[in-house]
Amino acid sequence: QVQLVESGGGLVQPGGSLRLSCAASGSISSIYVMGWYRQAPGKQRELVATTTSGGSTNYAESVLGRFTISSDNAKNTVDLQMNSLKPEDTGVYYCYADIRSNYYTRRDYWGQGTQVTVSS
């Protein structure tokens, strides 16, 4: 079994910062992609940022320049540093990973989600 566990969400004022962390564990053979998605109330889940095992990164246009994704391949972890937060960043943030396990070639895994609220 593969699990993704997020931490670091919370309440912050506009302009503030938060750092989200995610750790993957279980019968992992390889991780190809790790990243973060978010879902605001009444909205579709959307990509925030991803990073590949080769080190490339991808960001949503709305967070470019404010958020930074980083990963440690040896530890199977990924972090998201969020700066200059805006109210529109509010939502549930989900850790994502594309993983080869002992049982499957490749499949998507999701964390349980962590709430981020940006409000004054």
Side-chain angles (χ1 to χ4, degrees), residues 54-75:
S56 63
T57 58
N58 185 45
Y59 294 91
E61 186 69 24
S62 61
V63 308
L64 196 63
R66 300 188 297 119
F67 292 9
T68 302
I69 190 168
S70 60
S71 65
D72 186 330
N73 292 329
K75 297 180 179 179

Side-chain angles (χ1 to χ4, degrees), residues 30-43:
S30 300
I31 299 180
Y32 299 94
V33 183
M34 293 193 79
W36 296 90
Y37 289 70
R38 68 186 180 191
Q39 188 166 24
K43 302 291 183 64

